[in-house]
């Protein structure tokens, strides 16, 4: 196995993971999802680090990943506490709700159109039909005997 | 006791010190006692001036004493090699050209005392002192009490320096200084819009004259190479011995004429001659002591002083002298005509001042020693009686609660007895009644003009029998050429024997013209004397005689003025009565003035003698004055016949009937005309006859049109509206200036300020753009961070080394 | 060696430009393929992000997969087919789960997909020979952290899809930015291959890997001789951790304590916050 090839492969995966995490962080508006994407970025970095560590035969790569793990855990704890607080204050998990840092005279950013949530047609349970159909009386059908 | 040099320096220094003390201590410390520094300073200056004159008399008795005294205070400008002069061949102007063409610029503050200066100083300080004492009573209780006295002492400082300095540039400096003081004092009650406007008008009209003065200074600099009056080592002053004795002489021709006319323009501005006289009547908005001091006795005489000082420059340009005399005479007549119909007592006196100044210019325009002496003598006596009249008017105003419209008060001789008597003395002096001072000075003026005309006639007669070149003199029958050297140079000197030289050669035609003009000016002067008497006594009778009327503004004030105001009146009355006769009788004034170095110029000295008393002229002027007084008495003494008689006559009321009657219809209604028409109709020529009839009517209308115009622009209205000169100036000068100023203002506001504002808005706009980036959205901040990092990384990866 | 990469890329592009079929040759060349992969993948991701149409999501999925395939063609082979297949499977799983994390609307699903991504990453660690990390990722990350996320989600998330999960702000700039980032990384990776790996073909032993590493990283690794791939992995890792990084371990422990206390103190504020808001 070519060490260099291995390195290249894993580096690419790490880069892709990082890129995806970055995109998600920038695009998503839910605070928790943003944080999840940040965790994804950290994972990408971890993959790269381990790859470099193996390539250079250095324990430092894996050590750093261990510490990244620890730090990520702390970070997650505090961040979630903060997210809870933010949710208490603004009533939603939307990051766009926090616009106090805008300049004086700037209008508040308001979403232009929110795609409607397509209502899924209610799935009614399908029941087996019960009972027997009564016989059809042509006479009765033609000349009703009672009202 | 004091050295004359010290006196010369102290005389302006005392009022300056008084001004500074008043400014510093006046507002809070002295307050109602702010008059003490000024009055003490002025009295000190007066005493020192009298001592100067006395010491001068002593000096003159010593043979060989120099006629002028120089005191160098300090060097104001001293630049060696200041500019380069194009090398010129050695010229008779005697310019000190250093090798290489570099010339120094040196202006020293040099005070120069000669007889003329001494006389002016005495007059200025004397009148200033009396006006200062008068103002103590007049301005009592005014809010700007200290400011008034500070300005008065500053003015006296400027005026004394003006007559003392020995350099044209410095004269200009103090010329402007007196103008500034005049502005400050006219607009003394600055909250009154008319006063502020009058101050501005005075200053601006003076400015127009100052342009002339500045041009004259430039021309003198170019022609004579120096602006000093006195001689200094290496440089011959304009009025220095070298020039006056004839070694260098003066430049005539076009340049000389230009210099003299520009000087005249400056003098007209300051001395309120036509066409720059419009500011003086409006300057009456200032307090009356100011009018008495500045606009009667001192500032307005600065122009006369200038012309007298530059008399040698005028002698080489007879045309300029003629212009001076003409303007003087014309202004005298014009102002007298305007004064006939004014209702404001102070305005009458203002026009009277303009008129009397015209007399002085008329006298100076003759160019003879007699004329110049007469002009200065009239200036001297005029200071007395005009100041007296103004202070008397002030007394009346003070009593009448600042009402000065003569239509609102009358018969004040019992209410203001002392003012009545002193005012009478002043009026008699102004009218020129024997034996008051005005008589002597006015007589001297008329005599000098008459003499001049006479002299020119003699010249003409002298020339007639010998046309063309004659032995003894080369007098080409053409105008004088440039750069003629006057003086003892025999080429251009008049071989006129006992009548003496009179400057460069004049052609016969010019001689005749000049003679005619001077003779006409003599009659103008005589007529103006008649008018002077009329308007003066009109004012007198309207104010002090007739039914006693006191306006309601007078309130408690309708009594004689306090002692501080009355005593100067009495002193001036005594002076006005006595000074003229005394000085003429002893001849002291003429003798003293004749010692002025400027007037020792040969051409002036040997011109028409200040000769004896001219009885015929004296009789003529006295008759004119008495007839005028009589006419005024007839019209105004005790009754107000002016409205009925004069307006009927001069206002064209009698034309009213003419203009209004339906002449056309009456003519047409006459039987003869009707008969003609019927006949024409019968003959079939009806329309033609009617046309002819209309043509005849039109012809009659054209013939009487001057009278109709006269109805609308009657002489009375012309006189009362100051010949519409103010309105003409407003249209010709003020309106275009205002339009230009509006254009400039609009350009400044919209173009310049607009450009600056646009430039200023650009950062704001750019900031607005940048501000839009700060949306407060966290994803955007993240994106911005990412973009920044990407840029750095991209730069490093793509373009970095390895 | 020191030529700027952009010039290399441009040189490569210009080599094929102006020739018949030059565009196809350029696309086929590594630089072209990298560009195409980046573009296609980015377009796919963009299509998938919330705010797009439902049909578009599957189309975007396809695009992203295509981009991934093109990218895969760039990578050098790993030698043995077993390693290659294993790598592709695990990597594919990871990337697909990552894309799903980013693009799903329901945040709970996002968390689940993240757990899957973490499983994939753990697999990648195991393939690299970092056993401890692989296990630790699953235990700590997927087992504790993601579960915590889910707890908080359940606490805070409103029922159904919230409106802010259905839209995204700044899709285009974000996609472009990520694309650029990726392009840079890919270019760098490719350039490493171009520049540093002249002798990269062929299987190499770990010793040769050492040499290569030494050539690039310097003599320190050679001096250390740590041997990451030693069978005694845990012991070595423990040894390294508690000898060279002892202080960091202690600090990490303290940091965990601090984070715990901090989280509690922050999260216990609501009573104060509510009171504050009430009095205002």
């Amino acid at each position: 196995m070519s060490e260099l090839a291995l390195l290249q492969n894993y580096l690419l995966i790490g880069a892709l993971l990082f890129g995806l995490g970055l995109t998600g962080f920038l695009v998503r508006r839910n605070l928790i999802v943003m944080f999840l994407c940040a965790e994804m970025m950290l994972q990408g970095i971890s993959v790269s680090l381990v790859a470099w560590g193996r390539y250079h035969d250095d324990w430092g790569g894996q050590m750093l990943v261990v510490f990244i793990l620890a730090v990520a855990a702390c970070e997650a704890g505090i961040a979630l506490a903060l997210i809870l607080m933010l949710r208490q204050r603004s009533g939603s998990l939307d990051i766009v709700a926090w616009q106090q840092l805008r300049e004086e005279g700037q209008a508040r950013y308001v979403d232009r159109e929110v795609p409607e949530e397509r209502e899924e047609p209610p799935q009614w349970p399908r029941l087996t039909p019960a009972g027997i159909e009564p016989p059809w009386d042509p006479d009765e059908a033609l000349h009703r005997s009672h009202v | 006791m004091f050295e004359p040099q010290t006196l010369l320096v102290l005389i302006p220094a005392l009022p300056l010190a008084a001004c500074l003390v008043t400014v510093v201590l006046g507002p809070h410390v002295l307050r109602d006692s702010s008059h003490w520094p000024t009055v003490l300073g002025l009295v000190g200056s007066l005493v020192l001036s009298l001592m100067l004159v006395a010491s001068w008399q002593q000096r003159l008795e010593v043979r060989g004493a120099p006629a002028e005294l120089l005191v160098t205070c300090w060097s104001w400008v001293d630049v060696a090699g200041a500019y380069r002069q194009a090398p010129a061949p050695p010229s008779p102007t005697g310019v000190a050209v250093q090798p290489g063409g570099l010339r120094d610029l040196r202006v020293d503050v040099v005070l120069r005392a000669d007889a003329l200066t001494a006389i002016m100083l005495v007059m200025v300080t004397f009148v200033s002192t009396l006006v200062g004492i008068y103002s103590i009573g007049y301005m009592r209780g005014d809010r700007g009490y200290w400011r008034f006295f500070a300005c008065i002492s500053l003015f006296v400082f400027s005026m004394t320096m003006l007559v003392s300095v020995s350099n044209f540039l410095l004269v200009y400096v103090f010329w402007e200084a007196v103008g500034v003081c005049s502005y400050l004092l006219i607009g003394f009650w600055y909250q009154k819009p008319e006063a502020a406007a009058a101050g501005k008008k005075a200053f601006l009209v003076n400015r127009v004259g100052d342009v002339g003065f500045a041009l004259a200074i430039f021309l003198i600099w170019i022609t004579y190479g120096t602006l000093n009056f006195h001689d200094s080592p290496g440089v011959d002053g304009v009025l220095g011995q070298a020039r006056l004795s004839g070694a260098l002489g003066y430049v005539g021709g076009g340049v000389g004429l230009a210099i003299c006319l520009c000087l005249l323009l400056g003098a007209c501005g300051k001395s309120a001659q036509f066409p720059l006289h419009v500011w003086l009547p409006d300057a009456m908005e200032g307090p009356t002591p100011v009018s008495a001091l500045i606009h009667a006795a001192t500032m307005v005489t600065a122009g006369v002083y200038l012309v007298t000082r530059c008399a040698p420059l005028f002698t080489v340009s007879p045309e300029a002298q003629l212009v001076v005399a003409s303007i003087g005479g014309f202004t005298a007549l014009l102002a007298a005509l305007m004064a006939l119909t004014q209702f404001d007592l102070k305005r009458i006196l203002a026009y009277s001042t303009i008129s009397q100044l015209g007399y002085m210019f008329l006298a100076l325009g003759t160019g003879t020693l007699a004329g110049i002496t007469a002009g200065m003598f009239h200036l001297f006596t005029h200071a007395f009686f005009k100041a007296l009249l103004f202070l008397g008017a002030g007394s009346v105003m003070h009593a009448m609660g600042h009402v000065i419209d003569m239509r609102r008060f009358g018969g004040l001789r019992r209410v203001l007895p002392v003012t009545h008597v002193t005012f009478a003395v002043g009026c008699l002096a102004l009218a020129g009644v024997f034996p008051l001072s005005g008589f002597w000075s006015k007589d001297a003026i008329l005599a000098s003009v008459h003499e001049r005309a006479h002299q020119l006639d003699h010249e003409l007669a002298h020339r007639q029998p010998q046309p063309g070149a004659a032995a003894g003199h080369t007098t080409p029958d053409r105008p004088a050429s440039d750069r003629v050297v006057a003086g003892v140079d025999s080429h251009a000197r008049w071989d006129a024997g006992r009548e003496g030289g009179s400057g460069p050669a004049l052609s016969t035609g010019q001689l005749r013209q000049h003679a005619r003009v001077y003779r006409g000016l003599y009659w103008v002067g005589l007529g103006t004397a008649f008018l002077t008497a009329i308007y003066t006594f009109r004012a007198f009778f309207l104010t002090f005689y007739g039914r006693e009327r006191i306006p309601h503004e007078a309130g408690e004030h309708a009594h004689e003025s306090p002692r501080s105001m009355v005593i100067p009146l009495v002193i001036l009355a005594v002076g006005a009565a006595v000074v003229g006769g005394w000085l003429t009788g002893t001849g002291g004034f003429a003798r003293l003035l004749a010692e002025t170095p400027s007037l020792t110029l040969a051409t002036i000295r040997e011109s028409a003698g200040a000769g004896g008393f001219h009885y015929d002229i004296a009789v003529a002027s006295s008759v004119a004055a008495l007839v005028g007084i009589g006419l005024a008495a007839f019209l105004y003494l005790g009754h107000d016949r002016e409205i009925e008689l004069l307006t009927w006559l001069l206002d064209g009321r009698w034309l009213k009937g003419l203009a209004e009657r339906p002449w056309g219809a009456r003519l047409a209604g006459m039987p003869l005309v009707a008969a003609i028409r019927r006949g024409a109709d019968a003959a079939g020529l009806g329309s033609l006859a009617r046309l002819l009839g209309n043509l005849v009517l039109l012809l009659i209308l054209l013939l009487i049109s001057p009278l109709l115009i006269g109805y609308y622009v009657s002489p009375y209205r012309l006189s009362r509206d100051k010949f519409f000169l103010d309105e003409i100036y407003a249209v010709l000068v003020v309106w275009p200036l205002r339009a230009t100023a509006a254009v400039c203002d609009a350009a400044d506001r919209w173009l310049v300020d607009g450009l600056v504002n646009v430039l200023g808005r650009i950062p704001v706009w750019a900031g607005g753009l940048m501000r839009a980036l700060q949306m407060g959205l966290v994803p955007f901040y993240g994106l911005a961070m990412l973009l920044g990092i990407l840029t750095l990384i991209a730069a490093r990866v793509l373009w970095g080394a390895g | 060696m020191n030529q700027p990469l952009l010039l290399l890329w441009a040189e490569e592009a210009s080599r094929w430009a102006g020739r018949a079929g030059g565009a196809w040759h350029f696309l086929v060349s590594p630089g072209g393929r990298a560009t195409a992969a980046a573009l296609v993948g980015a377009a796919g991701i963009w299509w998938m992000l919330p705010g797009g149409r439902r049909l578009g999501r599957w189309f975007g999925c396809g695009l992203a997969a295509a981009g991934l395939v093109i990218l895969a063609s760039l990578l050098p082979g790993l030698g043995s087919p077993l390693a290659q297949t294993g790598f592709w499977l695990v990597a594919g799983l990871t990337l697909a789960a990552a894309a799903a994390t980013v693009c799903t609307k329901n945040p709970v699903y996002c968390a689940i997909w993240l757990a899957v991504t973490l499983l994939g990453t753990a697999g990648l660690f195991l393939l690299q020979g970092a056993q401890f990390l692989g296990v630790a990722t699953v235990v700590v990350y997927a087992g504790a952290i993601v579960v915590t996320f889910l707890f908080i989600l359940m606490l805070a998330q409103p029922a159904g899809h919230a409106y802010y999960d259905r839209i995204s702000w700044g899709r285009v700039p974000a996609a472009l930015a990520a694309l650029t980032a990726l392009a840079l990384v890919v270019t760098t990776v490719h350039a490493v291959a171009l520049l540093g790996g002249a002798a990269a073909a062929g299987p190499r032993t770990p010793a040769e890997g050492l040499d290569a590493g030494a050539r690039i990283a310097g003599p320190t690794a050679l001096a250390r001789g740590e041997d990451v791939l030693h069978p005694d992995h845990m012991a070595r890792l423990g040894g390294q951790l508690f000898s060279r990084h002892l202080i960091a371990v202690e600090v990490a422990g303290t940091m965990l304590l601090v984070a715990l206390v901090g989280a509690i103190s922050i999260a216990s504020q609501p009573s104060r916050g509510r009171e504050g808001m009430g009095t205002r």
Side-chain angles (χ1 to χ4, degrees):
Chain A
M1 228 175 346
S2 158
E3 287 294 323
L4 189 60
L6 203 68
L7 175 69
Q8 280 190 293
N9 282 293
Y10 281 103
L11 278 186
L12 197 65
I13 301 298
L16 281 171
L17 270 177
F18 180 81
L20 279 171
L22 184 63
T23 312
F25 184 84
L26 292 176
V27 171
R28 300 299 299 257
R29 285 169 57 160
N30 194 323
L31 278 167
I32 296 186
V33 176
M34 280 172 73
F35 204 71
L36 289 176
C37 300
E39 296 293 334
M40 199 195 317
M41 279 199 272
L42 283 176
Q43 279 304 108
I45 300 298
S46 308
V47 168
S48 300
L49 275 172
V50 170
W52 280 111
R54 178 179 164 131
Y55 185 71
H56 289 308
D57 202 18
D58 190 354
W59 278 110
Q62 297 195 18
M63 292 298 110
L64 192 51
V65 176
V66 169
F67 288 118
I68 284 177
L69 204 58
V71 170
C74 305
E75 183 191 338
I78 297 191
L80 289 171
L82 286 172
I83 287 173
L84 268 182
M85 289 306 107
L86 287 175
R87 193 223 178 276
Q88 297 272 358
R89 305 245 168 169
S90 73
S92 79
L93 285 172
D94 192 3
I95 192 143
V96 176
W98 295 94
Q99 295 181 31
Q100 275 100 328
L101 278 180
R102 66 177 183 277
E103 282 284 329
E104 256 182 76
Q106 279 287 97
R108 200 188 157 79
Y109 176 81
V110 174
D111 299 315
R112 259 167 310 160
E113 79 247 347
V114 178
E116 290 294 320
E117 185 168 334
R118 209 183 69 170
E119 284 288 326
E120 301 199 345
Q123 302 264 352
W124 298 118
R126 302 185 118 263
L127 300 173
T128 52
I132 306 167
E133 199 179 350
W136 183 68
D137 188 3
D139 240 343
E140 191 66 30
L142 286 171
H143 311 285
R144 221 177 288 216
S145 58
H146 56 276
V147 186
Chain B
M1 187 175 21
F2 283 101
E3 283 292 320
Q5 284 93 338
T6 321
L7 289 177
L8 199 53
V9 173
L10 274 179
I11 291 173
L14 282 175
L16 181 64
C19 173
L20 291 172
V21 169
T22 314
V23 166
V24 169
L25 295 179
H28 301 292
V29 175
L30 289 174
R31 264 184 274 229
D32 284 333
S33 310
S34 307
H35 54 270
W36 281 115
T38 304
V39 171
L40 287 176
L42 290 179
V43 168
S45 285
L46 173 63
V47 167
L48 294 176
S49 307
L50 290 170
M51 283 168 65
L52 184 69
V53 170
S55 80
W56 212 257
Q57 291 279 46
Q58 284 173 349
R59 283 161 66 86
L60 290 180
E61 274 144 35
V62 176
R63 282 274 133 207
E68 66 179 18
L69 187 70
L70 293 174
V71 177
T72 305
C73 293
W74 73 89
S75 176
W76 185 27
V77 176
D78 188 7
V79 183
Y83 60 99
R84 191 174 292 276
Q85 177 91 1
S91 60
T93 61
V95 166
V97 177
Q98 291 169 9
L102 275 179
R103 287 170 67 172
D104 296 342
L105 182 64
R106 195 185 166 84
V107 178
D108 294 333
V109 179
V110 173
L111 297 180
R112 180 170 176 266
D114 57 10
L116 180 63
T117 306
I119 292 171
M120 292 289 297
L121 281 174
V122 166
M123 184 197 74
V124 167
T125 48
F126 183 70
V127 179
S128 313
T129 310
L130 290 176
V131 167
I133 298 173
Y134 182 89
S135 312
I136 301 174
Y138 191 82
M139 301 294 292
R140 176 167 300 149
D142 194 285
R143 245 186 49 200
Y145 196 68
W146 65 270
R147 195 161 43 97
F148 184 81
F149 282 101
C151 291
I152 290 274
S153 40
L154 184 68
F155 169 78
V156 175
F157 161 70
S158 309
M159 192 69 200
T160 46
M161 286 296 280
L162 194 152
V163 301
S164 307
V165 289
S166 176
N167 185 304
F168 272 106
L169 192 61
L170 288 167
V171 171
Y172 190 77
V173 167
F174 290 104
W175 193 267
E176 296 291 336
V178 293
V180 165
C181 293
S182 165
Y183 167 78
L184 288 172
L185 283 166
I186 293 174
F188 181 70
W189 291 310
Y190 52 83
Q191 272 115 358
K192 200 175 159 210
E194 293 93 9
K200 264 190 287 181
K201 184 173 179 179
F203 195 75
L204 291 172
V205 174
N206 267 338
R207 258 329 207 170
V208 176
D210 294 341
V211 169
F213 193 12
L215 284 175
I217 291 180
F218 299 153
L219 284 170
I220 291 173
W221 172 259
I222 294 173
T223 317
Y224 295 102
T226 177
L227 292 176
N228 285 333
F229 293 167
H230 59 278
D231 287 328
S232 40
V235 179
D236 294 309
V238 178
L239 301 172
Q241 293 301 322
R243 291 200 191 275
L244 288 173
S245 60
L248 289 174
Y250 292 93
V251 175
V255 176
L257 182 63
I259 292 177
C260 294
L261 288 180
C262 289
L263 281 172
L264 179 62
L265 186 61
C268 283
K270 194 62 80 179
S271 295
Q273 298 298 295
F274 180 84
L276 298 173
H277 64 283
V278 291
W279 63 273
L280 196 51
D282 286 305
M284 297 299 119
E285 299 285 342
T288 311
V290 167
S291 306
L293 178 61
I294 298 184
H295 305 124
T298 41
M299 189 182 95
V300 292
T301 55
V304 180
Y305 162 77
L306 185 71
V307 175
T308 308
R309 179 65 82 191
C310 299
L313 291 171
F314 278 86
T315 49
V316 291
S317 183
E319 294 89 350
Q321 286 177 337
L322 190 69
V323 172
V324 170
S326 317
I327 286 188
F330 178 69
T331 309
L333 187 62
L334 186 76
L337 285 174
M338 287 200 253
L340 282 173
T341 51
Q342 301 296 318
F343 288 111
D344 189 332
L345 180 59
K346 280 176 73 175
R347 241 160 255 250
I348 295 181
L349 294 174
Y351 283 113
S352 171
T353 308
I354 301 176
S355 184
Q356 299 304 309
L357 287 166
Y359 264 114
M360 291 178 221
F361 275 92
L362 176 60
L364 290 175
T366 57
T368 60
L369 184 62
I372 295 174
T373 310
M376 287 305 295
F377 189 45
H378 195 62
L379 189 151
F380 197 74
T381 56
H382 172 262
F384 281 89
F385 54 75
K386 194 46 69 63
L388 169 63
L389 287 172
F390 266 110
L391 294 183
S395 180
V396 169
M397 270 182 82
H398 184 80
M400 293 294 111
H402 283 266
V403 172
I404 199 60
D405 193 334
M406 289 191 299
R407 294 174 286 195
R408 297 191 56 196
F409 53 70
L412 296 178
R413 69 185 184 284
R414 272 179 255 283
V415 179
L416 304 166
V418 180
T419 311
H420 168 235
V421 170
T422 51
F423 205 87
V425 171
C427 288
L428 286 171
L430 177 55
V433 172
F434 179 86
L436 289 112
S437 50
F439 166 74
W440 302 101
S441 53
K442 199 172 291 188
D443 177 61
I445 292 178
L446 292 174
S448 68
V449 177
H450 189 80
E451 269 296 312
R452 176 80 177 142
H454 203 57
Q455 178 201 3
L456 287 171
D457 283 336
H458 265 255
E459 286 304 316
L460 207 57
H462 189 70
R463 275 222 233 169
Q464 291 292 34
Q466 300 173 29
H473 62 265
T474 59
T475 53
D477 200 359
R478 56 172 165 78
S481 55
D482 276 12
R483 302 208 161 248
V484 169
V485 177
V488 293
D489 189 350
S490 61
H491 280 289
R493 190 182 161 174
W494 279 109
D495 187 29
R498 61 196 174 287
E499 262 101 15
S502 61
L506 286 173
S507 69
T508 312
Q510 279 179 322
L511 264 184
R512 199 172 292 131
Q513 181 197 28
H514 282 209
R516 216 177 292 148
V517 170
Y518 279 111
R519 201 163 323 131
L521 285 173
Y522 168 73
W523 288 107
V524 164
L526 210 53
T528 311
F530 170 64
L531 291 173
T532 305
I534 294 181
Y535 68 69
T536 311
F537 277 91
R538 168 176 175 266
F540 181 64
F541 290 134
L542 278 179
T543 309
F544 290 101
Y545 287 83
R547 188 171 50 91
E548 184 168 311
R549 286 176 293 161
I550 296 180
H552 61 88
E553 285 95 339
E556 301 299 312
H557 284 270
H559 53 78
E560 187 58 77
S561 312
R563 234 183 322 188
S564 61
M565 288 169 65
V566 163
I567 291 180
L569 283 177
V570 171
I571 297 177
L572 282 172
V574 167
V578 159
V579 157
W582 175 52
L583 283 178
T584 309
T586 58
F589 189 88
R591 245 183 299 134
L592 184 60
L593 191 63
E595 294 301 325
T596 312
S598 310
L599 299 178
T600 57
L601 189 63
T603 48
I604 298 178
R605 178 76 74 174
E606 289 156 19
S607 61
F613 192 62
H614 299 261
Y615 281 100
D616 48 349
I617 295 173
V619 165
S621 66
S622 295
V623 163
L626 290 170
V627 169
I629 296 176
L631 188 59
F634 168 67
L635 287 174
Y636 299 106
L637 185 60
H639 33 244
D640 226 345
R641 283 213 196 103
E642 182 188 55
I643 301 296
E644 301 113 42
L645 187 72
L646 275 176
T647 54
W648 185 85
L649 185 66
L650 295 172
D651 207 7
R653 295 271 169 88
W654 61 283
L655 287 171
K656 203 172 164 197
L658 198 68
E660 280 180 1
R661 284 205 200 110
W663 287 106
R666 273 191 76 174
L667 266 177
M670 279 167 64
L672 181 62
V673 176
I676 292 174
R677 193 178 289 164
R678 253 180 284 128
D681 277 335
L685 293 167
S687 50
L688 184 66
R690 228 165 274 127
L691 184 69
L692 279 173
N694 288 338
L695 281 175
V696 168
L697 213 58
L698 195 67
L699 195 66
I700 295 173
L701 201 70
L702 279 172
L703 283 173
I704 65 169
S705 59
L707 297 174
L708 286 178
I709 292 172
Y711 169 66
Y712 289 108
V713 192
S714 68
Y716 183 74
R717 207 162 299 171
L718 273 180
S719 166
R720 199 183 53 195
D721 292 332
K722 302 165 276 174
F723 289 92
F724 301 106
L725 275 176
D726 271 330
E727 284 78 5
I728 292 174
Y729 282 165
V731 168
L732 283 181
V733 175
V734 176
W735 189 88
L737 278 179
R738 229 180 239 151
T740 315
V743 166
C744 290
D745 178 54
D748 180 49
R749 206 177 296 238
W750 292 103
L751 281 179
V752 177
D753 280 358
L755 187 67
V756 171
N757 285 345
V758 162
L759 284 178
R761 291 243 173 78
I762 288 177
V764 175
W765 168 79
L769 284 182
M770 300 299 288
R771 207 188 321 152
L773 287 176
Q774 289 281 9
M775 286 176 279
L777 291 176
V778 175
F780 175 74
Y781 291 152
L783 192 65
M785 273 197 283
L786 177 67
L787 286 173
I789 294 173
L790 278 185
T791 315
L792 288 171
I793 294 177
R796 180 70 176 89
V797 164
L798 294 180
W799 289 292
Chain C
M1 183 71 99
N2 281 335
Q3 276 177 323
L5 295 174
L6 194 64
L7 277 183
L8 280 175
W9 189 85
E11 180 194 350
E12 205 174 309
S14 63
R15 211 185 317 149
W16 297 111
R19 284 165 55 149
W24 171 250
H25 283 284
F26 172 67
L27 272 175
V28 166
S29 74
R33 265 183 289 156
T35 318
L39 281 170
V40 169
I45 294 292
W46 177 77
W47 223 284
M48 279 202 288
L49 285 173
R53 291 175 300 282
R54 193 160 264 272
L55 180 64
R57 293 168 66 83
W58 288 110
F59 177 63
C61 189
L63 273 182
L68 198 59
V69 165
I70 301 174
L71 204 57
S73 69
L74 269 178
L75 294 170
L78 285 177
S80 71
L82 186 64
Q84 192 73 50
T85 321
F87 171 74
W88 275 358
L89 277 174
V90 176
L93 171 71
T94 311
L95 288 173
T101 310
V102 171
C103 304
T104 323
K105 285 190 196 158
N106 195 336
V108 179
Y109 287 177
C110 287
I112 305 293
W113 280 117
L114 184 71
V116 176
T117 314
L118 290 169
L119 283 176
T121 318
L124 285 174
F125 286 156
L126 285 172
L127 281 176
Q128 297 254 5
Q131 298 101 341
F132 171 72
L133 278 178
V135 176
T137 304
V138 176
V139 169
V140 175
Y141 239 119
I145 293 178
V146 176
V147 171
T148 314
F149 270 112
L150 279 169
F151 276 140
I152 301 300
L153 264 175
M154 296 309 168
L155 274 177
Q157 182 69 11
H161 292 169
Y163 70 93
Y164 44 83
D165 281 326
R166 297 206 289 276
I167 52 172
S168 43
W169 184 90
R171 277 194 297 155
V172 171
L176 283 177
L179 159 71
T180 317
L182 268 179
L184 280 174
V185 175
V186 167
T187 316
T188 316
V189 169
H190 183 60
V192 166
L194 279 180
L195 295 174
R204 286 211 307 215
T205 61
E208 279 180 22
L210 266 175
D211 290 334
R215 233 182 308 130
I216 293 178
T220 47
L222 190 62
R224 230 179 279 127
E226 285 166 352
D227 197 6
V228 176
L229 295 172
H230 198 272
D232 224 356
H233 180 82
M234 285 304 301
R236 295 238 164 193
L237 187 128
Q240 280 291 312
L241 197 61
F242 285 95
S243 63
R244 287 192 65 218
H245 305 282
L246 176 63
I247 296 179
V249 168
E250 301 303 325
V251 171
T254 315
M255 187 182 60
L256 281 165
L257 176 66
V258 169
L260 179 68
V261 172
I264 292 171
S265 79
I266 291 174
S268 69
Q269 269 183 15
S271 51
R272 235 194 301 159
R274 251 188 256 121
E275 269 170 13
M277 279 204 276
T279 50
R280 242 181 284 146

